[in-house]
Amino acid sequence: MSLEALDALTRWRLVLGEAAQGPCAAAGCGLSGEAAAMDVALEWLYGRDEEGASRNIARRGGREGSVLTTPEWINDIHRLFPKETIERLERDAIERYAIDDVVTNPEVLQRAVPNETLLKAVLRTKHLMSPDILLLARKLVQDVVRQLMEKLARDMSLAFSGVMDRRRHSRFRIASDLDFRRVLKDNLKHYDPDTGKMTVEKLHFFARNRRHMKTWQIILLVDQSGSMLDSVIHSAVTAACLWGLPGVRTHLVAFDTNVVDLTKDVDDPCELLMKVQLGGGTDIQGAVSYAAGLIEHPDRAIVVLISDFFEGTSPAMLVERVAALVAQRTLVLGLAALDSAATPVYDGNMAQKLVAAGAEVGAMTPGELAGWLAEKIGR
């Protein structure tokens, strides 16, 4: 839903705030869904008195009693409002109400516990930060990215380590490869019926078939529109974890109406994220065309298109370009979301057309993407 999609009465209710709830309700205007969320965000900012502003504290959001932190509020307004409204809200927050938790207050950033919510708020407001604040923000970005990479690196290592071979055993002691049945069989003689316990004296682990791979190109195309921020973050981390894997050459390309090749920064996802410019239109077919120009061996290339599939230029050309990649035996995977929740919001009609053109389309966590890539490469 957008502001333009709201009826006039609802728009006036949002402008006037909770004081107008009675008359608007009498006229049959009730807030629900995204309109209610807009009211919470507006009330959080404009519903504070001078005393609250001087102490820089968050107020109750609308009639639902929600309490937002500043990073949560920043993320919400970027989800709910158009660009022009976001800019006005951010300017009023800083200049009118002195809400400088994230963008101007070094003490707050130094005390902040690194997490993804705060990371997204930083990336959305970095253009408002002074150079000294940017230095602190960069450290926060590094901390969160490191946490994400540590988790994904484990998933990536497992996915690309090879397929478990249940006919052979290995001296390498990896918990996920434990041959539970053989361990149980060999150690049953050590079972004590009085205590109900079994002493395990020897463990057995399955071996893995190592992948003997030709070199593959993996090209990640990432839509950097504001709604795709979660996917941008996880794409940067995924590319960094893929970088340097044997038999894999990784490219990372961000796009809106322009295409920016970020491959040279893949080994430093923090630097990469600080360069991303969120927002703008979407020229997906232009990005796919750029990817096609990078491909050296079509039958050993994978193009991963991470986008909401709302094409801003030529939908027909997008389908044509994807079909051309598939025809040359290049694998094309369209991801409507790449994040920890894998909850997609996307143009379903375009997704169906891409599937008909030969692409696979879905939503994945980074770990699931690693498994998918390992399966395709290991064929």
Side-chain angles (χ1 to χ4, degrees):
M1 181 186 295
S2 64
L3 283 174
E4 292 75 14
L6 300 174
D7 61 74
L9 192 59
T10 300
R11 290 166 68 101
W12 274 112
R13 164 63 182 81
L14 291 174
V15 169
L16 296 174
E18 193 174 355
Q21 178 62 28
C24 285
C29 172
L31 298 181
S32 61
E34 288 194 358
M38 290 178 185
D39 187 44
V40 171
L42 293 171
E43 183 68 19
W44 184 89
L45 180 61
Y46 296 113
R48 57 189 64 226
D49 57 21
E50 292 184 2
E51 179 184 1
S54 67
R55 287 185 294 159
N56 195 25
I57 60 174
R59 290 280 181 175
R60 176 175 61 87
R63 295 173 60 85
E64 297 183 3
S66 299
V67 178
L68 297 173
T69 64
T70 303
E72 289 170 338
W73 178 77
I74 290 171
N75 292 328
D76 279 354
I77 65 172
H78 279 262
R79 175 175 59 88
L80 296 166
F81 295 101
K83 181 179 179 181
E84 297 78 8
T85 306
I86 293 167
E87 292 174 351
R88 175 59 185 270
L89 292 172
E90 290 178 341
R91 186 169 66 250
D92 282 353
I94 295 169
E95 297 177 359
R96 183 174 173 183
Y97 296 109
I99 304 171
D100 56 7
D101 295 33
V102 175
V103 294
T104 64
N105 192 325
E107 292 184 1
V108 170
L109 275 179
Q110 287 173 331
R111 293 196 311 266
V113 176
N115 57 67
E116 284 191 57
T117 298
L118 190 52
L119 168 61
K120 287 183 282 187
V122 165
L123 296 179
R124 281 171 168 146
T125 57
K126 63 181 188 291
H127 63 286
L128 302 171
M129 297 179 181
S130 61
D132 57 326
I133 297 298
L134 270 174
L135 288 175
L136 291 172
R138 187 180 295 274
K139 183 180 183 307
L140 184 144
V141 173
Q142 288 173 334
D143 290 342
V144 180
V145 166
R146 185 179 65 253
Q147 294 170 9
L148 294 173
M149 285 192 67
E150 287 173 353
K151 180 182 184 304
L152 181 57
R154 293 191 295 269
D155 295 339
M156 197 78 72
S157 176
L158 181 61
F160 281 85
S161 63
V163 179
M164 188 180 295
D165 186 346
R166 297 184 178 276
R167 296 169 300 176
R168 299 186 300 114
H169 286 80
S170 170
R171 60 186 176 84
F172 294 106
R173 303 165 69 87
I174 301 173
S176 59
D177 298 343
L178 181 68
D179 184 349
F180 183 77
R181 289 181 179 272
R182 184 170 174 183
V183 169
L184 186 62
K185 179 181 178 181
D186 285 2
N187 291 279
L188 273 176
K189 58 187 175 184
H190 305 301
Y191 176 73
D192 184 346
D194 294 331
T195 62
K197 295 181 180 179
M198 182 179 69
T199 302
V200 177
E201 295 189 351
K202 188 174 183 180
L203 295 174
H204 302 279
F205 297 86
F206 290 117
R208 285 184 176 266
N209 291 323
R210 299 293 166 180
R211 301 180 186 276
H212 299 285
M213 299 180 295
K214 300 177 182 178
T215 298
W216 280 74
Q217 277 183 287
I218 298 176
I219 304 170
L220 302 177
L221 297 177
V222 189
D223 184 340
Q224 60 179 348
S225 59
S227 62
M228 296 296 296
L229 179 55
D230 286 274
S231 294
V232 170
I233 292 170
H234 288 276
S235 296
V237 173
T238 299
C241 290
L242 286 169
W243 189 258
L245 280 178
V248 176
R249 287 180 54 210
T250 307
H251 305 260
L252 181 63
V253 178
F255 68 91
D256 43 33
T257 52
N258 298 305
V259 175
V260 181
D261 195 325
L262 298 170
T263 302
K264 65 182 178 64
D265 294 316
V266 162
D267 61 341
D268 187 352
C270 171
E271 181 66 24
L272 189 154
L273 287 172
M274 295 301 284
K275 288 183 177 180
V276 167
Q277 301 295 322
L278 298 168
T282 311
D283 182 3
I284 308 174
Q285 66 86 24
V288 174
S289 175
Y290 182 84
L294 295 175
I295 295 172
E296 296 176 1
H297 301 285
D299 61 341
R300 296 203 303 276
I302 300 176
V303 175
V304 181
L305 173 61
I306 304 165
S307 174
D308 55 16
F309 309 132
F310 287 101
E311 171 62 296
T313 57
S314 174
M317 183 60 73
L318 171 57
V319 175
E320 182 179 323
R321 293 194 188 283
V322 168
L325 289 177
V326 173
Q328 66 182 21
R329 298 179 61 193
T330 294
L331 298 173
V332 180
L333 172 64
L335 291 183
L338 178 68
D339 56 47
S340 56
T343 304
V345 177
Y346 64 103
D347 184 340
N349 181 53
M350 176 53 72
Q352 290 178 351
K353 291 179 179 178
L354 296 181
V355 170
E360 295 187 37
V361 172
M364 295 183 183
T365 66
E368 289 169 342
L369 175 59
W372 186 90
L373 291 171
E375 176 189 348
K376 300 300 182 182
I377 289 174
R379 283 178 176 176

